[in-house]
Amino acid sequence: MSDVLLSVQGLKTHFGAREGVIRAVDGVDFDIGRGRTLCIVGESGSGKSITARSILQIVSRPGRIVDGKILLHCDSRPEVDLAALDPAGRNIRDIRGRDIAMIFQEPMNSLSPIHTIGDQLLEKIRLHHKLSRKAAEDRAVAALERVGIPDPKARLATYPFELSGGMRQRVMIAMALACRPALLIADEPTTALDVSTQANILDLIRDLQAETGMSVMFITHDLGVVAEIADDVAVMYLGRVVERGSTEQIFYDPQHPYTQALLASIPKLGARRQAGERLYAIKGMVPHPLNRPEGCPFHTRCPEAVSGLCDRRVPAQVSFGDNHVADCHMRDPEVLRAREAV
Ligand SMILES: Nc1ncnc2c1ncn2[C@@H]1O[C@H](COP(=O)(O)OP(=O)(O)OP(=O)(O)O)[C@@H](O)[C@H]1O
Ligand code: SF4
Ligand SMILES: [Mg+2]
């Protein structure tokens, strides 16, 4: 049995717009190991959510997967390429919720406002498992109890709007985990919550993961959260993974100038800031994918960019050992040798 649960290879998801093709995800590669947590980081617009949605084939129109593979190696079924499945077909519907579950930043988007929590949980459980109503109800109560909802039996009759944001988030996690998925995808699930609720939810996900051995793909732009929960990290920029590696490699030996800039922009714990001292900020803004720069996509903002090279040639992937790779000309020994030779 492979150690890899999900392998994303050369994934491209594009939107055909009147102005041109928006290449939201444009050649993304990463693996998620069994029982491991992969964090995906990157500024707004880098393609994190569209990557996650591509895995479940829930990209909204006119977006569609135009290339690449998403191989799922689940214990319960033969290897399947999710990218090749019909988004409206039975196979992917079967996988959604049962093998792979997703939670979102705003629970109201995935909870129905007009149905009770109990009805929604039961429907979800009975969709994937042939259980009597009583057995499904017991399972729903157990799921709510497990995520720390007080008096879970009585809560079955409540509507989502009757709950606080933190409680709604817990209900969404209970729904996602009721079928014991092999992979939980969490897209900024704690961003809208206050700091202590956020910490509780992260603890909860971690405990559930330890119990069930599921893998987690966690999207966030909070590097503090990454340091706390990730085993592996993929850094995205303009629809591509520009660096990936273990959490130690990314935090202690970052190679890509973009990763280095992201890390330099985190406020340091305990470091007292001098009056007037500003936090490091990456210059400029992420370009819109319609105006994707030629060559290295980061060259318009990169402090190390070399004119005539970075603005012309797409960098190759350079390996720094043990699953640690980054796409940068200035870290590529071949490019550096060639530059020295002239
Ligand atoms: N429905 C859509 N139609 C056209 N373009 C879209 C659509 N949804 C997303 N995009 C484009 O895809 C790109 C990637 O979007 P995505 O939502 O994946 O970014 P993200 O990394 O999740 O950002 P954020 O941190 O803000 O959530 C964006 O630049 C956006 O313009
Ligand atoms: S390839 Fe050039 S522009 Fe891109 S990250 Fe490396 S140095 Fe910067
Ligand atoms: Mg997003």
Side-chain angles (χ1 to χ4, degrees):
M1 168 80 42
S2 145
D3 288 344
V4 173
L5 176 72
L6 188 89
S7 181
V8 175
Q9 303 173 359
L11 178 68
K12 295 188 180 181
T13 304
H14 294 174
F15 292 84
R18 215 174 309 143
E19 313 87 317
V21 176
I22 300 174
R23 295 188 281 164
V25 175
D26 205 37
V28 157
D29 297 284
F30 59 79
D31 289 341
I32 305 179
R34 261 169 229 287
R36 290 180 76 86
T37 298
L38 170 76
C39 274
I40 309 240
V41 295
E43 287 164 289
S44 190
S46 54
K48 305 179 298 292
S49 296
I50 301 297
T51 300
R53 290 178 158 271
S54 300
I55 294 172
L56 284 174
Q57 289 267 21
I58 51 167
V59 178
S60 51
R61 290 192 150 271
R64 72 187 183 90
I65 297 176
V66 295
D67 202 5
K69 290 190 169 144
I70 304 172
L71 302 177
L72 176 68
H73 307 271
C74 248
D75 297 348
S76 57
R77 60 178 78 243
E79 178 188 282
V80 51
D81 178 6
L82 305 178
L85 297 180
D86 169 8
R90 214 186 124 199
N91 286 340
I92 190 75
R93 265 188 289 144
D94 218 35
I95 287 167
R96 274 184 216 133
R98 196 169 84 176
D99 297 316
I100 306 178
M102 183 155 169
I103 55 176
F104 301 86
Q105 178 174 347
E106 183 34 74
M108 283 316 259
N109 292 343
S110 49
L111 296 175
S112 157
I114 56 165
H115 295 105
T116 63
I117 282 155
D119 283 347
Q120 296 183 58
L121 258 170
L122 286 187
E123 191 197 324
K124 181 101 186 207
I125 292 168
R126 295 180 87 188
L127 182 71
H128 293 293
H129 301 276
K130 287 194 173 41
L131 292 175
S132 67
R133 193 181 161 86
K134 172 76 177 66
E137 209 170 283
D138 289 347
R139 198 155 168 169
V141 169
L144 290 178
E145 193 162 32
R146 183 60 199 86
V147 297
I149 303 266
D151 198 3
K153 202 158 186 169
R155 291 297 166 132
L156 290 179
T158 55
Y159 289 88
F161 65 83
E162 297 176 88
L163 299 172
S164 68
M167 283 295 159
R168 278 205 289 266
Q169 202 61 303
R170 282 170 192 268
V171 169
M172 190 165 60
I173 294 173
M175 284 188 50
L177 298 184
C179 296
R180 301 205 154 217
L183 172 65
L184 174 71
I185 300 178
D187 190 355
E188 312 242 15
T190 57
T191 311
L193 303 172
D194 63 79
V195 178
S196 71
T197 312
Q198 183 175 340
N200 287 336
I201 298 283
L202 291 179
D203 283 345
L204 172 63
I205 293 177
R206 209 168 13 203
D207 290 350
L208 292 166
Q209 183 178 26
E211 270 168 43
T212 64
M214 70 181 172
S215 306
V216 175
M217 171 173 154
F218 198 102
I219 296 173
T220 178
H221 47 242
D222 184 337
L223 287 162
V225 169
V226 177
E228 209 175 306
I229 65 165
D231 297 305
D232 304 294
V233 182
V235 181
M236 283 192 73
Y237 190 77
L238 268 185
R240 295 188 68 105
V241 172
V242 295
E243 179 162 5
R244 61 190 151 84
S246 69
T247 309
E248 289 73 31
Q249 288 163 338
I250 297 295
F251 277 82
Y252 296 113
D253 188 26
Q255 294 292 333
H256 197 283
Y258 181 56
T259 313
Q260 293 171 345
L262 282 180
L263 288 166
S265 55
I266 329 178
K268 300 234 172 356
L269 260 187
R272 202 178 310 159
R273 298 210 351 240
Q274 306 288 324
E277 189 191 345
R278 305 271 295 272
L279 215 54
Y280 177 81
I282 306 174
K283 74 169 184 188
M285 305 260 291
V286 185
H288 189 273
L290 272 175
N291 309 319
R292 184 195 193 78
E294 289 290 309
C296 170
F298 188 51
H299 86 254
T300 53
R301 306 171 72 197
C302 180
E304 296 183 49
V306 175
S307 145
L309 173 67
C310 298
D311 51 354
R312 298 221 179 124
R313 271 170 53 195
V314 177
Q317 190 175 79
V318 185
S319 171
F320 301 92
D322 243 18
N323 298 322
H324 183 195
V325 291
D327 298 3
C328 173
H329 289 307
M330 300 322 276
R331 307 292 181 266
D332 186 336
E334 263 181 47
V335 172
L336 297 176
R337 265 197 302 274
R339 279 172 59 78
E340 265 171 27
V342 283

